[in-house]
Amino acid sequence: MILLPCPHCGKRNSNEFSYLGESAPRPTETGDAKLWRAYLYTKENPAGWTRETWLHSGGCGKAFLAERHSVTNEVRATWLPGRKEPDTTTEAGS
Amino acid sequence: MTRSPRRLDPRPGEVIDRNRRLGFSWNGKRYEGYEGDTIASALAAAGERIFSRSFKYHRPRGILAASLHDPNLLVQVGDEPNVRAGYRKLEDGMAVSAQNAWPSLNYDVGSLNQTVARFLGAGFYYKTFMKPQRLWPAYEHVLQRFAAGGKVAQGAERRDCDKRYAHADVLVAGGGPAGMSAAIAAADEGARVMLVEEEPGLGGHLRWGTPDDLARLAELRTEVAARPSIEVLTYSLVAGRYDDNWISVLQRGLPQVTERLVKVRAKVLVVAVGLIERPYVFEGNDLPGVMLSTAVRRLVNLYAVKPGDRAVVFLANEEGEAAAEDLRQAGVEVLRVVDARRGGGLLRARGRRGLDSVELQDGSSVACDLLVTAVGWTAPMLLLNASGDRPTYDEEAARFVPGGGLPDNVLATGGILGDGPVGLLVDHGRATGALAARRALGGDAASSSSPEAVPALTAAPHPALFRSGTRGFVDYSEDVSAKDLMAAAREGYDSVELLKRYTTATMGPAQGKLETINTVAVLAEATGRSIGETGTTVWRPPHSPISLGALAGRNYEPVRYSPMQPWHEAKGAVPIVAGQWIRPEHYGDPAAEVLNVRKNVGIIDVTPLGKLDLRGPDVSRLLNFLYVNKWSKLEVGAVRYGVMCGEDGVVADDGVTGRLGPERYFMSTTSSGAAAIHEWIERWLQTSFREWQVHVTSMTSAFASINVAGPRSRELLARLVADVDLSAAAFPYMNVRQGSIAGVPGCLMWRIGFTGELSYELHVPSGYGLSVWEALLESGRDLGAAPFGVEAQRIMRLEKGHFIVGQDTDGLTQAFTAGLDWLVKLDKEDFAGKAELVFESERPRESRLVGLQPVDPTVVPPEASQIVSGSSTIEGRITSSRFSPTLNRAICLGIVSQRCASPGTVVTVVHPDGTRTPTRVMEHHAHFDPEGTRLRA
Amino acid sequence: MRQRGATRRRPQRYSAFGLLRHGLRHDDWPRVWRTSELDRRYDVVIVGAGVHGLAAAYYLASKHGISKVAVLDKGYVGGGGSGRNTAILRSNYLTPEGVRFYERSMELYRNLAVDLNFNVMFAQRGHLTLAHTDASLRTMVWRAEVNKLQGVNSEVVSPEEVKRLVPFMDVSNHARYPILGALYHPPGGIIRHDAVNWGYARAANALGVEIHQNTEVTGITVRDGRVQGVTTPRGEIAAPIVLNCTAGWASLVAGMAGVKLPIITHPLQAAVTEPVKVFLGAVVVSGSLHVYVSQTDRGELVFGASTDPYASYSMRGSLEFTEELASHVLELMPSIGRMRVLRQWAGLCDMTPDFSPVMGTTPVEGFLVDVGWGTYGFKAGPAAGEAMAELVATGRTPELISAFGLARFEQGRLVGERGAASVGH
């Protein structure tokens, strides 16, 4: 059971959260099938740091963004949408 | 009652209580032991030598390690299979039996396999039994009879185990001298410590040690006991370490439950699990009477059992010397001590049902009944492996040692790390414990002393002894010999993983605790590589097997009831499981319930409907985005039906939403979709539309919901509602009002009609649900008011042609296919799924949801029956079907391919029993009152 | 360059007689597959020595005479999902495309022991998918009906019949989720997964295919939209065809060729108990309770569940997996609470949006994929290998896999297998 640091509640067991998947911007242009289906279906699916959206559904109800390492499951940053993104580029990460 | 001829006079460190005798049975015979005995020690004291028969060759097996990991000591205790007799404490009245022997442990027919062993090498079954293939089940049946292990009993009572959550600053795995010292030091730094020890007592190897060791142990125990911030769990196992130091501990020996799973979130884990003694590979190494030095020391010093009469000791370390000394003290005649460090060597052991003699490298043969080996150690790496450590092989010490790569929140101390006198282990443990506490508590730790450096602790040089010149068993549980491993390696299964899979070595109940190191060593020898190059396997949890019962704990699967559910059950309603909810399916006769609604008035409990309270100036924008239809012009007091789609255009949910005030709305969702839709809304509001001012609150359980349906529903409701004008003109179809019902204020009344009748959906503060429910029935008695259940509602909705999301649609049904052309408004601004629905609208339709009626009105095709053309080309399926009591005929909804979808087409429905029913495609989904005149009444 | 077929040899056949002879002479069996130097050029490079890659190689060599093939793996043969799955075989899928495809796989599996001269121990014990709700019962009928129309033996049976097939099952109505019926698929069963991998590897190698373990593909060279070859720590390899059979790692390998996939990697965990005397015949699956269980010939219960709830490449496993598993298994069979979980492990699943695979060509010419198998990969191995071999040899996508192309996502033509698959073993 990994711990996720909810920006509002602090570290909680992962089963309190709903995983909403890789964060990808919704196209503003919806008439282009190729673009739209890429948004719907294509995934980066990296083995490494990945940016994703979680919802603290069993807690405060906040949706937030997380940078998690998909191999180690380490979470190095979480933040609320629209807030300043933490600078993680200089931090050590495998 | 069998006596205990091999019990010694009291020993200084013994753990048995000679004042408490326990009676038990072994293979039906009565035995006696003492409190504190293990099953195996009590049997050994009674002179028993054979405890099991091996898996494949049914060779007799006796005590090897006398511990949790002893592969030879698996027994059946009552209805519990595979009990570790070298570990499990003896209890009064235990019925213990051998598992893998027929007709008896001493004379086992299966041992005949040994005579054909040369043909049954590891993996032999991959090379035969291929032809004829039809005979494989027969071969398989024979193989199955060799399945090892005990028996489970059908009907065995389920014993509930409980669970506990704990939050330790420092969890110390292993209560030997290093672990105890770590716990003491961590506690002194202010940490809350959990100290977990596998054995029933703290102390590790000190427990079976010298008087000096025992004195040291007493001091350490006193120090631990003096610190209330150390919680000690003995007879308990750290079974696994998972990400973020989520640690599973299996606790035994509790008075209330047999086992308890403790789930610990430890800030820092200190791994002090010590070492396991490894066996030596030589011919005859599995004979009863061949034991590890630690087994001998445990038997003699902890249980006061004399393990043999005439012994040979083969050793390469001090532990072997100590074992020899223990034996002498116990009155065992130590015939020879063969010291590998001085060039001594062991060739083979001989005997049939037990050890008779030992052949040494010098050519001599010694008749004896006990052979003790002390050839070195192996480190149980699970907890370190799971933390990211990759063990490396230390040539000098001839064992795998931690290779580094541990995160900050895991530390190691004690034997797993290195060797040394007790003093060094204690010092290292203390320094490590203090460091662990400082890390756990962060910089604020009120440390009284300056941090002491962690002393060096490295593995001491040790002779590399794995196999003598002869070939013996490497994996006892699996009957895999060195010969098997070498043959398999030469055949190409030459990496540890392939070898393990091919021969099953290390895959048995002991999971390679004793065997992995020798497997690797034999493989290295066979391939000419070094042990380091060969590498070891990844250790996988649990450290020792955990029962399903302990993992499961008590069954905790919450059930949701509406406030009226007890009433339904009291009235004999048949319950139906609907997701988390239990609901009334019907009250005896669903068809009569339908007719009563059509003729009079019925009430149904619809509490599980998802209900959301939406407030704020931007709710209407939100609704426009969520639903496929338009919402901007919804007046206060009005209600509208809507369908939501996912971004892929697939129908996700439906329901009605009403406007209660300028900035206040109330949304209903399907029962099963309630939680998911709430999340869906939050997701959009919080990530994409953060500037929108909308507040969403789930009201599902806050309101009890009752649908009052039927031509007399207005009349009924009017008797209970004073503050709302219910007249058709004042409260028309698709409107919502707030008011009091049966004296209960704060109720919502929606005029909607899932059943197709004039009907009102009432949302009542849930504490008053039952009272309003009873009031409706009471005051409607003369109107024929009666309850109806889920089944009647399903019939009526099908009569009306309303689809059910997830039943009449599936995971790929987009809105137009679901027949929602009338609802989808592609001319409005962007909404969820719009892009896909535009695409769907532009391409030729492939299939659609239609109403269907079997030509023969009496035949109801079962739901999910397929619609075919020709003999087997699938054109669609029946998604819903019922016999309509209203129309007195069978009615259906179904998905059909576009070419069969025109009204009037007669399609063929194939029932599960193969009969074919001509069925007509209808113009409308609705079979009854398609114009909706009744519900607008 | 060596001549095609020059390295072929017939391996010594496995048989009862052979066992006797070897037992008497105490001599060795020949190597199951030979090791060789890495060549600079192959006709086909297959990435991933799991059942898909090995089967494709075997059928390329045996059916199409293309044996200048290298199968590369970063680890050992069958070390990924092919050696980590719960070895359940069945063909009772939901969509006609799925049923046809997996039925072909079953057909190949049924003859595989003889075909490969390697006993893969396919035991057709019967396969039960339990229904605990009327919705799932309806899905079971749906599957059964589609199956029957495709000639697959499948039917919905009553709780009484479930009890007859699995006496340990609690079919009473006081369970939290009572069993309302089950989809019964008599031809379904279990197989020895490692044996399938080794059998394919041995047979392919005997026909000239090279198997290179510990040879990780670290790059794929693409020029002018065409694949040129692959890079490994052992050197560059030129090849006009590169086939990606890497399951959970499929996105990473495809990424080397610049191809993006509709795949998310989720761990799928499994566990095995200590052995007890055999008491469970059929394979039992419960979608509602997220569990499947079978008993091996060795007496161990093998369990699986649904994939982990979030994407990850971690194979460390979790405690909650075993807790939920145990809880659900005891719901089904309350009297086995004293059995113990011996070992847990995880594999990586390449999940697609519609629970159907991605097979065939990609925008990069010569770079082919056989991925997106999710939790169904092992069942599909033989048929997928056969179809991919045909595609490589003929340049045409076989009808059997035409519904599973990568382009379907861009075209919005998903295959509806998802409907049957909350947990679908």
Side-chain angles (χ1 to χ4, degrees):
Chain A
M1 183 75 70
I2 64 168
L3 288 171
L4 278 170
C6 170
H8 186 257
C9 308
K11 284 190 176 184
R12 298 294 186 92
N13 283 350
S14 61
N15 63 354
E16 292 185 12
F17 300 84
S18 300
Y19 171 68
L20 304 185
E22 273 181 22
S23 303
R26 189 169 188 264
T28 45
E29 164 56 51
T30 59
D32 181 341
K34 199 170 168 169
L35 200 70
W36 184 257
R37 263 82 186 237
Y39 156 69
L40 278 186
Y41 302 124
T42 304
K43 304 292 169 191
E44 295 297 327
N45 196 30
W49 292 109
T50 175
R51 186 169 288 201
E52 50 197 20
T53 311
W54 293 77
L55 183 72
H56 197 181
S57 45
C60 63
K62 288 269 189 274
F64 61 92
L65 295 155
E67 267 193 8
R68 184 176 59 94
H69 196 282
S70 66
V71 180
T72 65
N73 283 332
E74 182 196 339
V75 180
R76 68 178 176 189
T78 54
W79 66 98
L80 293 173
R83 300 289 171 85
K84 188 171 177 300
E85 291 176 16
D87 178 20
T88 49
T89 50
T90 53
E91 283 176 39
S94 52
Chain B
M1 187 76 69
T2 311
R3 306 213 15 234
S4 303
R6 306 201 71 86
R7 190 77 75 180
L8 299 165
D9 290 337
R11 304 277 306 162
E14 72 181 22
V15 296
I16 50 173
D17 180 350
R18 294 184 188 243
N19 296 316
R20 301 196 59 188
R21 293 165 184 274
L22 307 174
F24 70 105
S25 68
W26 167 240
N27 295 326
K29 256 175 78 184
R30 297 282 297 151
Y31 285 76
E32 196 175 77
Y34 293 123
E35 176 85 34
D37 260 325
T38 63
I39 295 168
S41 70
L43 285 171
E48 291 297 326
R49 248 186 140 189
I50 303 177
F51 288 78
S52 67
R53 288 278 176 164
S54 71
F55 162 53
K56 195 154 132 192
Y57 304 124
H58 287 244
R59 290 170 63 87
R61 293 275 166 82
I63 292 178
L64 175 69
S67 70
L68 175 61
H69 304 300
D70 194 319
N72 297 344
L73 301 183
L74 268 59
V75 297
Q76 180 96 24
V77 177
D79 57 17
E80 184 176 2
N82 304 327
V83 172
R84 270 61 180 171
Y87 177 70
R88 181 68 63 87
K89 284 187 197 168
L90 187 66
E91 289 167 32
D92 202 38
M94 267 184 169
V96 187
S97 54
Q99 292 191 148
N100 206 24
W102 185 87
S104 80
L105 194 56
N106 286 337
Y107 302 97
D108 182 350
V109 170
S111 61
L112 288 173
N113 281 358
Q114 290 176 70
T115 58
V116 291
R118 61 165 66 166
F119 310 115
L120 304 182
F124 78 92
Y125 32 76
Y126 295 126
K127 297 192 175 79
T128 183
F129 305 144
M130 284 165 278
K131 279 185 183 174
Q133 276 183 321
R134 64 187 159 77
L135 280 187
W136 169 243
Y139 297 136
E140 192 188 21
H141 194 67
V142 174
L143 283 180
Q144 283 182 350
R145 294 183 56 167
F146 282 93
K151 288 193 180 86
V152 289
Q154 192 183 333
E157 185 199 344
R158 182 172 175 172
R159 269 187 305 216
D160 277 332
C161 301
D162 62 9
K163 292 187 186 179
R164 177 189 158 197
Y165 291 83
H167 299 266
D169 292 325
V170 176
L171 185 143
V172 181
M180 293 168 85
S181 306
I184 292 163
D188 288 347
E189 292 281 338
R192 288 169 303 127
V193 180
M194 185 177 265
L195 174 61
V196 185
E197 167 56 41
E198 180 177 302
E199 298 281 338
L202 289 175
H205 68 274
L206 297 183
R207 295 168 73 223
W208 55 79
T210 60
D212 282 352
D213 291 336
L214 291 173
R216 191 85 193 229
L217 174 54
E219 284 167 27
L220 285 168
R221 282 183 175 167
T222 308
E223 284 198 65
V224 168
R227 286 165 178 77
S229 56
I230 303 177
E231 182 185 3
V232 178
L233 272 59
T234 52
Y235 203 29
S236 299
L237 188 80
V238 177
R241 185 269 181 191
Y242 301 89
D243 287 353
D244 288 330
N245 269 357
W246 185 238
I247 291 160
S248 60
V249 176
L250 186 74
Q251 192 178 9
R252 299 192 63 94
L254 295 159
Q256 306 87 349
V257 289
T258 52
E259 292 172 317
R260 168 190 286 164
L261 182 68
V262 187
K263 298 189 274 184
V264 189
R265 184 73 77 180
K267 286 187 186 149
V268 176
L269 167 67
V270 175
V271 179
V273 291
L275 292 167
I276 293 175
E277 190 173 20
R278 65 185 187 229
Y280 192 47
V281 181
F282 58 94
E283 191 180 328
N285 65 343
D286 67 326
L287 284 168
V290 178
M291 292 184 201
L292 304 180
S293 70
T294 44
V296 164
R297 301 202 69 197
R298 284 163 187 259
L299 286 175
V300 171
N301 296 319
L302 297 179
Y303 309 109
V305 171
K306 188 180 177 186
D309 292 316
R310 297 176 321 284
V312 170
V313 179
F314 176 65
L315 59 84
N317 54 39
E318 289 168 9
E319 187 72 9
E321 291 165 16
E325 182 53 33
D326 285 343
L327 288 174
R328 287 188 197 101
Q329 282 186 21
V332 178
E333 197 182 344
V334 179
L335 302 169
R336 289 279 287 276
V337 173
V338 184
D339 193 333
R341 295 168 297 186
R342 296 194 182 81
L346 172 68
L347 268 189
R348 58 174 62 85
R350 291 191 184 278
R352 275 182 57 80
R353 294 187 41 232
L355 178 70
D356 290 333
S357 66
V358 172
E359 278 179 41
L360 303 173
Q361 209 170 44
D362 61 13
S364 62
S365 175
V366 186
C368 59
D369 64 352
L370 177 63
L371 169 60
V372 182
T373 66
V375 298
W377 310 99
T378 184
M381 289 291 182
L382 171 74
L383 298 178
L384 295 183
N385 245 192
S387 309
D389 184 273
R390 291 291 165 265
T392 54
Y393 186 69
D394 182 333
E395 291 275 348
E396 287 273 290
R399 70 174 194 248
F400 281 94
V401 295
L406 288 180
D408 284 349
N409 61 0
V410 180
L411 296 165
T413 185
I416 195 167
L417 208 55
D419 306 298
V422 177
L424 176 61
L425 297 177
V426 165
D427 289 347
H428 191 275
R430 279 187 191 276
T432 305
L435 177 62
R438 286 195 298 274
R439 286 191 184 168
L441 302 174
D444 306 328
S447 174
S448 53
S449 56
S450 59
E452 55 186 299
V454 179
L457 182 62
T458 54
H462 193 285
L465 283 174
F466 299 100
R467 187 173 80 84
S468 78
T470 56
R471 291 161 170 182
F473 284 92
V474 174
D475 188 314
Y476 297 80
S477 325
E478 296 289 308
D479 262 357
V480 178
S481 67
K483 185 182 163 192
D484 288 325
L485 293 178
M486 289 178 165
R490 284 193 298 266
E491 215 177 311
Y493 302 97
D494 52 5
S495 66
V496 194
E497 290 291 347
L498 285 174
L499 184 72
K500 171 181 110 175
R501 286 161 178 272
Y502 185 71
T503 62
T504 72
T506 76
M507 306 276 275
Q511 282 292 286
K513 298 290 178 311
L514 280 68
E515 303 94 337
T516 297
I517 181 67
N518 289 339
T519 304
V520 172
V522 171
L523 174 60
E525 190 186 334
T527 55
R529 295 189 297 246
S530 72
I531 291 177
E533 286 164 345
T534 305
T536 185
T537 53
V538 175
W539 292 63
R540 289 174 173 145
H543 177 65
S544 179
I546 305 188
S547 72
L548 291 171
L551 286 166
R554 286 175 206 278
N555 186 20
Y556 178 70
E557 193 79 43
V559 172
R560 297 177 82 177
Y561 288 118
S562 87
M564 293 84 90
Q565 184 63 25
W567 185 96
H568 306 317
E569 285 174 21
K571 298 294 180 208
V574 173
I576 183 173
V577 178
Q580 292 184 321
W581 297 85
I582 308 288
R583 305 189 61 186
E585 185 174 13
H586 60 78
Y587 300 82
D589 185 354
E593 290 167 20
V594 169
L595 293 174
N596 188 54
V597 171
R598 297 271 180 240
K599 180 161 163 262
N600 297 310
V601 58
I603 63 172
I604 179 171
D605 180 354
V606 292
T607 301
L609 275 178
K611 297 179 278 282
L612 297 170
D613 180 284
L614 309 171
R615 297 186 193 210
D618 294 311
V619 174
S620 122
R621 293 173 82 180
L622 174 70
L623 297 176
N624 257 331
F625 180 81
L626 295 172
Y627 287 117
V628 298
N629 49 335
K630 291 186 181 171
W631 288 80
S632 12
K633 289 187 183 142
L634 191 71
E635 301 291 332
V636 172
V639 170
R640 191 167 289 168
Y641 172 78
V643 168
M644 297 187 201
C645 287
E647 287 278 72
D648 53 4
V650 172
V651 175
D653 205 79
D654 68 344
V656 294
T657 293
R659 188 170 189 180
L660 306 180
E663 294 189 358
R664 187 177 165 210
Y665 294 72
F666 199 79
M667 173 186 282
S668 71
T669 72
T670 61
S671 309
S672 55
I677 294 300
H678 189 187
E679 281 192 14
W680 177 243
I681 295 173
E682 287 295 346
R683 167 188 199 160
W684 286 112
L685 285 176
Q686 293 188 48
T687 60
S688 296
F689 309 124
R690 289 190 311 280
E691 69 282 9
W692 291 4
Q693 294 181 45
V694 181
H695 196 82
V696 186
T697 311
S698 171
M699 305 295 277
T700 303
S701 299
F703 285 110
S705 306
I706 303 165
N707 195 289
V708 184
R712 306 172 93 168
S713 54
R714 181 181 289 126
E715 193 180 349
L716 168 57
L717 204 56
R719 295 177 181 178
L720 297 169
V721 175
D723 52 359
V724 175
D725 181 354
L726 296 175
S727 69
F731 187 0
Y733 180 58
M734 294 311 270
N735 267 256
V736 57
R737 299 289 180 270
Q738 300 176 71
S740 305
I741 307 170
V744 178
C747 299
L748 290 180
M749 290 163 251
W750 314 64
R751 204 184 140 191
I752 52 175
F754 196 47
T755 56
E757 294 298 326
L758 169 66
S759 70
Y760 299 86
E761 195 155 288
L762 315 177
H763 300 293
V764 181
S766 59
Y768 296 96
L770 180 59
S771 137
V772 170
W773 176 267
E774 287 182 324
L776 285 163
L777 289 173
E778 179 60 33
S779 40
R781 192 173 292 169
D782 59 315
L783 302 175
F788 65 102
V790 173
E791 175 59 17
Q793 187 193 39
R794 287 178 181 168
I795 295 171
M796 286 186 277
R797 72 90 198 174
L798 186 58
E799 289 175 339
K800 277 298 293 175
H802 295 306
F803 70 71
I804 294 179
V805 175
Q807 173 169 342
D808 300 298
T809 68
D810 61 51
L812 290 180
T813 311
Q814 293 179 318
F816 290 105
T817 302
L820 293 170
D821 313 52
W822 59 277
L823 190 72
V824 181
K825 296 291 179 267
L826 294 178
D827 60 342
K828 70 168 178 168
E829 260 184 70
D830 192 16
F831 61 90
K834 180 182 176 187
E836 280 297 336
L837 294 180
V838 170
F839 304 144
E840 194 197 9
S841 72
E842 286 166 352
R843 66 169 179 259
R845 205 65 43 83
E846 287 176 4
S847 56
R848 68 161 64 236
L849 186 69
V850 296
L852 295 134
Q853 290 189 355
V855 173
D856 177 346
T858 65
V859 178
V860 182
E863 289 173 350
S865 293
Q866 298 296 299
I867 297 167
V868 301
S869 59
S871 65
S872 64
T873 304
I874 295 171
E875 300 285 355
R877 70 180 194 281
I878 300 294
T879 57
S880 295
S881 63
R882 286 292 187 275
F883 187 82
S884 161
T886 312
L887 301 170
N888 204 27
R889 74 161 352 274
I891 54 170
C892 315
L893 276 176
I895 296 259
V896 293
S897 62
Q898 191 62 29
R899 61 201 187 90
C900 303
S902 359
T905 311
V906 174
V907 295
T908 304
V909 177
V910 186
H911 296 226
D913 66 4
T915 57
R916 291 178 171 237
T917 298
T919 301
R920 181 170 291 113
V921 175
M922 308 302 289
E923 191 177 347
H924 301 287
H925 288 185
H927 300 275
F928 174 67
D929 186 25
E931 296 78 25
T933 47
R934 296 175 72 91
L935 50 81
R936 290 192 171 80
Chain C
M1 195 162 125
R2 273 173 289 173
Q3 273 189 319
R4 183 171 292 177
T7 57
R8 292 188 190 188
R9 45 128 215 190
R10 293 308 305 175
Q12 189 174 7
R13 289 194 65 75
Y14 292 163
S15 66
F17 176 73
L19 280 172
L20 267 176
R21 203 182 50 202
H22 280 273
L24 291 171
R25 289 194 199 147
H26 288 287
D27 60 359
D28 278 344
W29 288 92
R31 287 185 70 87
V32 61
W33 58 79
R34 292 153 303 152
T35 50
S36 46
E37 291 301 310
L38 199 59
D39 228 331
R40 301 300 303 272
R41 185 176 178 81
Y42 293 90
D43 293 342
V44 182
V45 163
I46 297 173
V47 191
V51 64
H52 282 255
L54 293 167
Y58 170 69
Y59 293 116
L60 270 173
S62 65
K63 291 195 160 186
H64 305 285
I66 300 174
S67 58
K68 184 68 187 165
V69 176
V71 184
L72 313 181
D73 199 286
K74 67 174 182 173
Y76 56 96
V77 165
S82 298
R84 293 164 184 269
N85 67 87
T86 49
I88 297 169
L89 300 184
R90 62 181 179 89
S91 60
N92 59 350
Y93 281 73
L94 178 69
T95 60
E97 298 89 341
V99 175
R100 273 196 295 275
F101 179 84
Y102 288 96
E103 183 55 20
R104 174 61 187 157
S105 223
M106 287 283 272
E107 207 176 314
L108 290 167
Y109 266 130
R110 277 193 289 270
N111 297 308
L112 204 58
V114 170
D115 192 17
L116 301 179
N117 180 232
F118 204 109
N119 190 356
V120 293
M121 298 187 236
F122 182 14
Q124 296 188 282
R125 307 238 194 109
H127 183 285
L128 283 166
T129 313
L130 304 174
H132 304 264
T133 65
D134 62 340
S136 67
L137 192 57
R138 201 177 303 117
T139 306
M140 296 314 148
V141 176
W142 182 2
R143 278 168 66 180
E145 292 311 295
V146 172
N147 293 172
K148 284 190 256 179
L149 290 169
Q150 310 292 321
V152 169
N153 187 355
S154 190
E155 62 179 320
V156 171
V157 297
S158 66
E160 294 69 35
E161 181 66 7
V162 172
K163 183 77 178 171
R164 196 188 63 76
L165 290 163
V166 184
F168 272 65
M169 191 75 70
D170 179 6
V171 298
S172 69
N173 58 11
H174 49 256
R176 172 66 180 87
Y177 293 106
I179 293 168
L180 305 181
L183 179 64
Y184 183 46
H185 179 46
I190 54 173
I191 197 164
R192 185 78 185 96
H193 52 16
D194 290 328
V196 172
N197 303 328
W198 300 331
Y200 270 124
R202 170 172 171 265
N205 180 246
L207 295 171
V209 170
E210 293 176 17
I211 292 153
H212 295 281
Q213 303 180 91
N214 303 309
T215 307
E216 182 171 6
V217 170
T218 53
I220 296 175
T221 316
V222 177
R223 202 177 304 134
D224 302 330
R226 210 179 186 311
V227 79
Q228 307 294 318
V230 302
T231 310
T232 77
R234 294 169 65 193
E236 305 269 331
I237 303 171
I241 304 277
V242 174
L243 171 56
N244 177 4
C245 297
T246 56
W249 294 270
S251 300
L252 309 179
V253 173
M256 295 174 194
V259 173
K260 286 195 176 182
L261 296 174
I263 284 176
I264 309 175
T265 297
H266 281 263
L268 178 66
Q269 300 191 53
V272 64
T273 67
E274 294 177 347
V276 295
K277 299 285 179 256
V278 174
F279 68 92
L280 177 65
V283 179
V284 176
V285 178
S286 166
S288 306
L289 295 178
H290 305 290
V291 65
Y292 42 93
V293 53
S294 66
Q295 190 171 19
T296 68
D297 290 337
R298 289 159 51 81
E300 304 151 326
L301 292 188
V302 179
F303 301 120
S306 44
T307 53
D308 284 6
Y310 49 90
S312 178
Y313 286 83
S314 160
M315 291 198 282
R316 291 180 298 279
S318 66
L319 177 61
E320 55 272 28
F321 161 75
T322 51
E323 293 181 83
E324 283 160 23
L325 179 83
S327 160
H328 292 149
V329 165
L330 293 188
E331 277 282 282
L332 299 176
M333 295 187 275
S335 45
I336 64 167
R338 270 75 140 182
M339 289 188 74
R340 293 189 191 82
V341 172
L342 181 61
R343 177 172 74 242
Q344 67 175 110
W345 66 93
L348 299 184
C349 288
D350 38 349
M351 307 302 292
T352 59
D354 59 359
F355 288 51
S356 291
V358 183
M359 300 179 77
T361 55
T362 67
V364 174
E365 206 183 328
F367 181 66
L368 308 179
V369 289
D370 171 22
V371 299
W373 290 101
T375 64
Y376 301 147
F378 196 79
K379 299 162 182 64
E386 186 188 47
M388 293 311 294
E390 186 182 333
L391 170 57
V392 170
T394 65
R396 288 186 303 276
T397 301
E399 163 65 25
L400 194 68
I401 61 166
S402 58
F404 303 136
L406 176 59
R408 77 176 183 277
F409 295 98
E410 203 174 297
Q411 295 159 0
R413 306 179 68 85
L414 277 59
V415 183
E417 205 56 65
R418 183 170 196 143
S422 54
V423 51
H425 294 257

